[in-house]
Amino acid sequence: MSKPDELLVDVAALVESGQSNQMSLTVVTGGAVITGRLASEAVWRQRVSEVLTDSARLSEFSAAFGAPTPSGPPTHLHFHVARILQGTVGIPETGGMYRVAIKDISAWTVGDFSYTDH
């Protein structure tokens, strides 16, 4: 979207306000379908930082995710326990952490799509 969807920005703002981390969303961006739950940017950054800190090879990148969160209206959605849908499979199977620019989302719906892993 050349101009971010105001309703989607409002949904992201509610998540950022800390009122809920239970909002499930499915978006289409750059030809990919991503489905999962939204997290606030601060929670998302903290979790990514923890994962990197625990990595023997990537721990030095952990500090980059500790940076302060920008103020103003949200510009990105932060997915956790999310999957990229490819055919009948969700990648990764265990769920991943994705950051998606709201301006790049071409379609979205409330809820997550189910998939089969066989």
PDB file of all heavy atoms in Angstrom, residues 1-31:
ATOM      1  N   MET A   1       0.840  -1.167   0.000  1.00  0.00           N
ATOM      2  CA  MET A   1       0.000   0.000   0.000  1.00  0.00           C
ATOM      3  C   MET A   1       0.887   1.232   0.000  1.00  0.00           C
ATOM      4  O   MET A   1       1.777   1.332   0.828  1.00  0.00           O
ATOM      5  CB  MET A   1      -0.858   0.022   1.272  1.00  0.00           C
ATOM      6  CG  MET A   1      -1.830  -1.098   1.383  1.00  0.00           C
ATOM      7  SD  MET A   1      -2.744  -0.982   2.946  1.00  0.00           S
ATOM      8  CE  MET A   1      -3.639  -2.492   2.830  1.00  0.00           C
ATOM      9  N   SER A   2       0.635   2.123  -0.925  1.00  0.00           N
ATOM     10  CA  SER A   2       1.449   3.335  -0.932  1.00  0.00           C
ATOM     11  C   SER A   2       1.124   4.199   0.286  1.00  0.00           C
ATOM     12  O   SER A   2       1.976   4.900   0.801  1.00  0.00           O
ATOM     13  CB  SER A   2       1.229   4.109  -2.226  1.00  0.00           C
ATOM     14  OG  SER A   2      -0.139   4.413  -2.371  1.00  0.00           O
ATOM     15  N   LYS A   3      -0.113   4.160   0.723  1.00  0.00           N
ATOM     16  CA  LYS A   3      -0.525   4.860   1.945  1.00  0.00           C
ATOM     17  C   LYS A   3      -1.008   3.777   2.909  1.00  0.00           C
ATOM     18  O   LYS A   3      -1.934   3.045   2.602  1.00  0.00           O
ATOM     19  CB  LYS A   3      -1.655   5.829   1.636  1.00  0.00           C
ATOM     20  CG  LYS A   3      -2.104   6.632   2.840  1.00  0.00           C
ATOM     21  CD  LYS A   3      -3.191   7.610   2.437  1.00  0.00           C
ATOM     22  CE  LYS A   3      -3.602   8.510   3.562  1.00  0.00           C
ATOM     23  NZ  LYS A   3      -4.289   7.868   4.640  1.00  0.00           N
ATOM     24  N   PRO A   4      -0.367   3.666   4.079  1.00  0.00           N
ATOM     25  CA  PRO A   4      -0.762   2.611   5.010  1.00  0.00           C
ATOM     26  C   PRO A   4      -2.248   2.664   5.364  1.00  0.00           C
ATOM     27  O   PRO A   4      -2.822   3.742   5.523  1.00  0.00           O
ATOM     28  CB  PRO A   4       0.094   2.875   6.247  1.00  0.00           C
ATOM     29  CG  PRO A   4       1.260   3.644   5.737  1.00  0.00           C
ATOM     30  CD  PRO A   4       0.737   4.461   4.582  1.00  0.00           C
ATOM     31  N   ASP A   5      -2.862   1.512   5.474  1.00  0.00           N
ATOM     32  CA  ASP A   5      -4.264   1.366   5.842  1.00  0.00           C
ATOM     33  C   ASP A   5      -4.454   1.888   7.271  1.00  0.00           C
ATOM     34  O   ASP A   5      -3.851   1.373   8.210  1.00  0.00           O
ATOM     35  CB  ASP A   5      -4.614  -0.117   5.744  1.00  0.00           C
ATOM     36  CG  ASP A   5      -6.064  -0.419   6.044  1.00  0.00           C
ATOM     37  OD1 ASP A   5      -6.647   0.226   6.937  1.00  0.00           O
ATOM     38  OD2 ASP A   5      -6.605  -1.334   5.407  1.00  0.00           O
ATOM     39  N   GLU A   6      -5.284   2.902   7.425  1.00  0.00           N
ATOM     40  CA  GLU A   6      -5.485   3.523   8.740  1.00  0.00           C
ATOM     41  C   GLU A   6      -6.057   2.545   9.757  1.00  0.00           C
ATOM     42  O   GLU A   6      -5.706   2.599  10.940  1.00  0.00           O
ATOM     43  CB  GLU A   6      -6.385   4.751   8.608  1.00  0.00           C
ATOM     44  CG  GLU A   6      -5.711   5.903   7.889  1.00  0.00           C
ATOM     45  CD  GLU A   6      -6.640   7.101   7.703  1.00  0.00           C
ATOM     46  OE1 GLU A   6      -7.593   7.255   8.506  1.00  0.00           O
ATOM     47  OE2 GLU A   6      -6.395   7.874   6.771  1.00  0.00           O
ATOM     48  N   LEU A   7      -6.931   1.655   9.329  1.00  0.00           N
ATOM     49  CA  LEU A   7      -7.500   0.675  10.249  1.00  0.00           C
ATOM     50  C   LEU A   7      -6.414  -0.283  10.753  1.00  0.00           C
ATOM     51  O   LEU A   7      -6.356  -0.608  11.943  1.00  0.00           O
ATOM     52  CB  LEU A   7      -8.628  -0.107   9.571  1.00  0.00           C
ATOM     53  CG  LEU A   7      -9.344  -1.150  10.423  1.00  0.00           C
ATOM     54  CD1 LEU A   7      -9.885  -0.546  11.718  1.00  0.00           C
ATOM     55  CD2 LEU A   7     -10.461  -1.796   9.610  1.00  0.00           C
ATOM     56  N   LEU A   8      -5.520  -0.690   9.868  1.00  0.00           N
ATOM     57  CA  LEU A   8      -4.417  -1.564  10.262  1.00  0.00           C
ATOM     58  C   LEU A   8      -3.460  -0.833  11.214  1.00  0.00           C
ATOM     59  O   LEU A   8      -2.978  -1.415  12.184  1.00  0.00           O
ATOM     60  CB  LEU A   8      -3.666  -2.067   9.024  1.00  0.00           C
ATOM     61  CG  LEU A   8      -2.607  -3.128   9.261  1.00  0.00           C
ATOM     62  CD1 LEU A   8      -3.159  -4.324  10.025  1.00  0.00           C
ATOM     63  CD2 LEU A   8      -2.016  -3.570   7.929  1.00  0.00           C
ATOM     64  N   VAL A   9      -3.219   0.432  10.969  1.00  0.00           N
ATOM     65  CA  VAL A   9      -2.392   1.241  11.881  1.00  0.00           C
ATOM     66  C   VAL A   9      -3.070   1.322  13.252  1.00  0.00           C
ATOM     67  O   VAL A   9      -2.414   1.204  14.289  1.00  0.00           O
ATOM     68  CB  VAL A   9      -2.128   2.649  11.298  1.00  0.00           C
ATOM     69  CG1 VAL A   9      -1.455   3.545  12.331  1.00  0.00           C
ATOM     70  CG2 VAL A   9      -1.269   2.548  10.037  1.00  0.00           C
ATOM     71  N   ASP A  10      -4.395   1.472  13.279  1.00  0.00           N
ATOM     72  CA  ASP A  10      -5.134   1.512  14.548  1.00  0.00           C
ATOM     73  C   ASP A  10      -5.011   0.187  15.301  1.00  0.00           C
ATOM     74  O   ASP A  10      -4.833   0.177  16.520  1.00  0.00           O
ATOM     75  CB  ASP A  10      -6.610   1.836  14.314  1.00  0.00           C
ATOM     76  CG  ASP A  10      -6.849   3.275  13.875  1.00  0.00           C
ATOM     77  OD1 ASP A  10      -5.922   4.106  13.993  1.00  0.00           O
ATOM     78  OD2 ASP A  10      -7.967   3.560  13.397  1.00  0.00           O
ATOM     79  N   VAL A  11      -5.103  -0.930  14.589  1.00  0.00           N
ATOM     80  CA  VAL A  11      -4.940  -2.247  15.216  1.00  0.00           C
ATOM     81  C   VAL A  11      -3.535  -2.360  15.808  1.00  0.00           C
ATOM     82  O   VAL A  11      -3.358  -2.783  16.950  1.00  0.00           O
ATOM     83  CB  VAL A  11      -5.212  -3.390  14.198  1.00  0.00           C
ATOM     84  CG1 VAL A  11      -4.773  -4.735  14.749  1.00  0.00           C
ATOM     85  CG2 VAL A  11      -6.683  -3.424  13.811  1.00  0.00           C
ATOM     86  N   ALA A  12      -2.536  -1.955  15.023  1.00  0.00           N
ATOM     87  CA  ALA A  12      -1.149  -2.007  15.503  1.00  0.00           C
ATOM     88  C   ALA A  12      -0.959  -1.110  16.725  1.00  0.00           C
ATOM     89  O   ALA A  12      -0.263  -1.481  17.671  1.00  0.00           O
ATOM     90  CB  ALA A  12      -0.187  -1.598  14.386  1.00  0.00           C
ATOM     91  N   ALA A  13      -1.603   0.042  16.735  1.00  0.00           N
ATOM     92  CA  ALA A  13      -1.486   0.960  17.869  1.00  0.00           C
ATOM     93  C   ALA A  13      -2.081   0.345  19.141  1.00  0.00           C
ATOM     94  O   ALA A  13      -1.534   0.518  20.235  1.00  0.00           O
ATOM     95  CB  ALA A  13      -2.161   2.294  17.551  1.00  0.00           C
ATOM     96  N   LEU A  14      -3.180  -0.382  19.005  1.00  0.00           N
ATOM     97  CA  LEU A  14      -3.762  -1.057  20.172  1.00  0.00           C
ATOM     98  C   LEU A  14      -2.816  -2.122  20.715  1.00  0.00           C
ATOM     99  O   LEU A  14      -2.657  -2.257  21.928  1.00  0.00           O
ATOM    100  CB  LEU A  14      -5.113  -1.678  19.819  1.00  0.00           C
ATOM    101  CG  LEU A  14      -6.269  -0.698  19.731  1.00  0.00           C
ATOM    102  CD1 LEU A  14      -7.511  -1.378  19.151  1.00  0.00           C
ATOM    103  CD2 LEU A  14      -6.580  -0.122  21.103  1.00  0.00           C
ATOM    104  N   VAL A  15      -2.176  -2.859  19.827  1.00  0.00           N
ATOM    105  CA  VAL A  15      -1.198  -3.860  20.260  1.00  0.00           C
ATOM    106  C   VAL A  15      -0.026  -3.159  20.933  1.00  0.00           C
ATOM    107  O   VAL A  15       0.441  -3.585  21.995  1.00  0.00           O
ATOM    108  CB  VAL A  15      -0.727  -4.733  19.075  1.00  0.00           C
ATOM    109  CG1 VAL A  15       0.424  -5.631  19.479  1.00  0.00           C
ATOM    110  CG2 VAL A  15      -1.882  -5.562  18.523  1.00  0.00           C
ATOM    111  N   GLU A  16       0.446  -2.070  20.353  1.00  0.00           N
ATOM    112  CA  GLU A  16       1.573  -1.322  20.926  1.00  0.00           C
ATOM    113  C   GLU A  16       1.240  -0.743  22.302  1.00  0.00           C
ATOM    114  O   GLU A  16       2.117  -0.616  23.150  1.00  0.00           O
ATOM    115  CB  GLU A  16       2.013  -0.188  19.993  1.00  0.00           C
ATOM    116  CG  GLU A  16       2.701  -0.662  18.736  1.00  0.00           C
ATOM    117  CD  GLU A  16       3.988  -1.421  18.993  1.00  0.00           C
ATOM    118  OE1 GLU A  16       4.707  -1.114  19.962  1.00  0.00           O
ATOM    119  OE2 GLU A  16       4.274  -2.350  18.226  1.00  0.00           O
ATOM    120  N   SER A  17      -0.016  -0.417  22.524  1.00  0.00           N
ATOM    121  CA  SER A  17      -0.409   0.168  23.808  1.00  0.00           C
ATOM    122  C   SER A  17      -0.369  -0.857  24.936  1.00  0.00           C
ATOM    123  O   SER A  17      -0.535  -0.504  26.097  1.00  0.00           O
ATOM    124  CB  SER A  17      -1.803   0.779  23.701  1.00  0.00           C
ATOM    125  OG  SER A  17      -2.793  -0.242  23.652  1.00  0.00           O
ATOM    126  N   GLY A  18      -0.159  -2.113  24.578  1.00  0.00           N
ATOM    127  CA  GLY A  18      -0.062  -3.161  25.589  1.00  0.00           C
ATOM    128  C   GLY A  18      -1.401  -3.693  26.040  1.00  0.00           C
ATOM    129  O   GLY A  18      -1.472  -4.451  26.999  1.00  0.00           O
ATOM    130  N   GLN A  19      -2.471  -3.325  25.340  1.00  0.00           N
ATOM    131  CA  GLN A  19      -3.797  -3.780  25.742  1.00  0.00           C
ATOM    132  C   GLN A  19      -4.010  -5.261  25.462  1.00  0.00           C
ATOM    133  O   GLN A  19      -4.810  -5.905  26.118  1.00  0.00           O
ATOM    134  CB  GLN A  19      -4.877  -2.954  25.060  1.00  0.00           C
ATOM    135  CG  GLN A  19      -4.874  -1.520  25.556  1.00  0.00           C
ATOM    136  CD  GLN A  19      -6.057  -0.740  25.027  1.00  0.00           C
ATOM    137  OE1 GLN A  19      -7.092  -1.305  24.717  1.00  0.00           O
ATOM    138  NE2 GLN A  19      -5.900   0.567  24.932  1.00  0.00           N
ATOM    139  N   SER A  20      -3.286  -5.817  24.486  1.00  0.00           N
ATOM    140  CA  SER A  20      -3.456  -7.239  24.178  1.00  0.00           C
ATOM    141  C   SER A  20      -2.312  -7.746  23.333  1.00  0.00           C
ATOM    142  O   SER A  20      -1.770  -7.025  22.501  1.00  0.00           O
ATOM    143  CB  SER A  20      -4.772  -7.462  23.423  1.00  0.00           C
ATOM    144  OG  SER A  20      -4.887  -8.811  23.039  1.00  0.00           O
ATOM    145  N   ASN A  21      -1.951  -9.004  23.551  1.00  0.00           N
ATOM    146  CA  ASN A  21      -0.994  -9.668  22.663  1.00  0.00           C
ATOM    147  C   ASN A  21      -1.658 -10.893  22.044  1.00  0.00           C
ATOM    148  O   ASN A  21      -0.994 -11.824  21.639  1.00  0.00           O
ATOM    149  CB  ASN A  21       0.282 -10.066  23.421  1.00  0.00           C
ATOM    150  CG  ASN A  21       0.012 -11.148  24.456  1.00  0.00           C
ATOM    151  OD1 ASN A  21      -1.132 -11.460  24.768  1.00  0.00           O
ATOM    152  ND2 ASN A  21       1.068 -11.724  24.987  1.00  0.00           N
ATOM    153  N   GLN A  22      -2.980 -10.861  21.993  1.00  0.00           N
ATOM    154  CA  GLN A  22      -3.742 -12.006  21.489  1.00  0.00           C
ATOM    155  C   GLN A  22      -4.291 -11.794  20.084  1.00  0.00           C
ATOM    156  O   GLN A  22      -4.970 -12.672  19.565  1.00  0.00           O
ATOM    157  CB  GLN A  22      -4.900 -12.320  22.443  1.00  0.00           C
ATOM    158  CG  GLN A  22      -4.450 -12.696  23.837  1.00  0.00           C
ATOM    159  CD  GLN A  22      -3.545 -13.922  23.831  1.00  0.00           C
ATOM    160  OE1 GLN A  22      -3.905 -14.959  23.280  1.00  0.00           O
ATOM    161  NE2 GLN A  22      -2.363 -13.800  24.409  1.00  0.00           N
ATOM    162  N   MET A  23      -4.020 -10.642  19.461  1.00  0.00           N
ATOM    163  CA  MET A  23      -4.555 -10.362  18.128  1.00  0.00           C
ATOM    164  C   MET A  23      -3.853 -11.210  17.088  1.00  0.00           C
ATOM    165  O   MET A  23      -2.648 -11.123  16.898  1.00  0.00           O
ATOM    166  CB  MET A  23      -4.399  -8.881  17.785  1.00  0.00           C
ATOM    167  CG  MET A  23      -4.832  -8.533  16.363  1.00  0.00           C
ATOM    168  SD  MET A  23      -6.495  -9.048  15.951  1.00  0.00           S
ATOM    169  CE  MET A  23      -7.390  -7.575  16.294  1.00  0.00           C
ATOM    170  N   SER A  24      -4.623 -12.068  16.443  1.00  0.00           N
ATOM    171  CA  SER A  24      -4.099 -12.867  15.337  1.00  0.00           C
ATOM    172  C   SER A  24      -4.428 -12.157  14.040  1.00  0.00           C
ATOM    173  O   SER A  24      -5.519 -11.609  13.876  1.00  0.00           O
ATOM    174  CB  SER A  24      -4.733 -14.259  15.327  1.00  0.00           C
ATOM    175  OG  SER A  24      -4.318 -14.976  16.462  1.00  0.00           O
ATOM    176  N   LEU A  25      -3.472 -12.176  13.128  1.00  0.00           N
ATOM    177  CA  LEU A  25      -3.627 -11.462  11.875  1.00  0.00           C
ATOM    178  C   LEU A  25      -2.946 -12.255  10.772  1.00  0.00           C
ATOM    179  O   LEU A  25      -1.958 -12.951  11.019  1.00  0.00           O
ATOM    180  CB  LEU A  25      -2.954 -10.089  12.010  1.00  0.00           C
ATOM    181  CG  LEU A  25      -3.442  -8.938  11.165  1.00  0.00           C
ATOM    182  CD1 LEU A  25      -4.873  -8.562  11.534  1.00  0.00           C
ATOM    183  CD2 LEU A  25      -2.551  -7.728  11.365  1.00  0.00           C
ATOM    184  N   THR A  26      -3.483 -12.138   9.573  1.00  0.00           N
ATOM    185  CA  THR A  26      -2.852 -12.713   8.390  1.00  0.00           C
ATOM    186  C   THR A  26      -2.681 -11.585   7.388  1.00  0.00           C
ATOM    187  O   THR A  26      -3.621 -10.828   7.141  1.00  0.00           O
ATOM    188  CB  THR A  26      -3.708 -13.844   7.795  1.00  0.00           C
ATOM    189  OG1 THR A  26      -3.851 -14.874   8.781  1.00  0.00           O
ATOM    190  CG2 THR A  26      -3.078 -14.427   6.539  1.00  0.00           C
ATOM    191  N   VAL A  27      -1.457 -11.456   6.847  1.00  0.00           N
ATOM    192  CA  VAL A  27      -1.173 -10.382   5.896  1.00  0.00           C
ATOM    193  C   VAL A  27      -0.549 -10.953   4.626  1.00  0.00           C
ATOM    194  O   VAL A  27       0.058 -12.015   4.647  1.00  0.00           O
ATOM    195  CB  VAL A  27      -0.226  -9.316   6.499  1.00  0.00           C
ATOM    196  CG1 VAL A  27      -0.844  -8.688   7.739  1.00  0.00           C
ATOM    197  CG2 VAL A  27       1.136  -9.882   6.815  1.00  0.00           C
ATOM    198  N   VAL A  28      -0.720 -10.200   3.552  1.00  0.00           N
ATOM    199  CA  VAL A  28      -0.045 -10.501   2.296  1.00  0.00           C
ATOM    200  C   VAL A  28       0.935  -9.360   2.064  1.00  0.00           C
ATOM    201  O   VAL A  28       0.552  -8.188   2.074  1.00  0.00           O
ATOM    202  CB  VAL A  28      -1.033 -10.592   1.116  1.00  0.00           C
ATOM    203  CG1 VAL A  28      -0.294 -10.846  -0.197  1.00  0.00           C
ATOM    204  CG2 VAL A  28      -2.084 -11.666   1.366  1.00  0.00           C
ATOM    205  N   THR A  29       2.196  -9.725   1.887  1.00  0.00           N
ATOM    206  CA  THR A  29       3.228  -8.718   1.652  1.00  0.00           C
ATOM    207  C   THR A  29       4.276  -9.292   0.717  1.00  0.00           C
ATOM    208  O   THR A  29       4.786 -10.392   0.960  1.00  0.00           O
ATOM    209  CB  THR A  29       3.865  -8.228   2.967  1.00  0.00           C
ATOM    210  OG1 THR A  29       4.860  -7.257   2.668  1.00  0.00           O
ATOM    211  CG2 THR A  29       4.454  -9.338   3.792  1.00  0.00           C
ATOM    212  N   GLY A  30       4.553  -8.607  -0.349  1.00  0.00           N
ATOM    213  CA  GLY A  30       5.563  -9.059  -1.297  1.00  0.00           C
ATOM    214  C   GLY A  30       5.309 -10.458  -1.829  1.00  0.00           C
ATOM    215  O   GLY A  30       6.245 -11.199  -2.091  1.00  0.00           O
ATOM    216  N   GLY A  31       4.057 -10.840  -1.955  1.00  0.00           N
ATOM    217  CA  GLY A  31       3.726 -12.164  -2.462  1.00  0.00           C
ATOM    218  C   GLY A  31       3.728 -13.255  -1.405  1.00  0.00           C
ATOM    219  O   GLY A  31       3.359 -14.382  -1.682  1.00  0.00           O
TER     220      GLY A  31
END
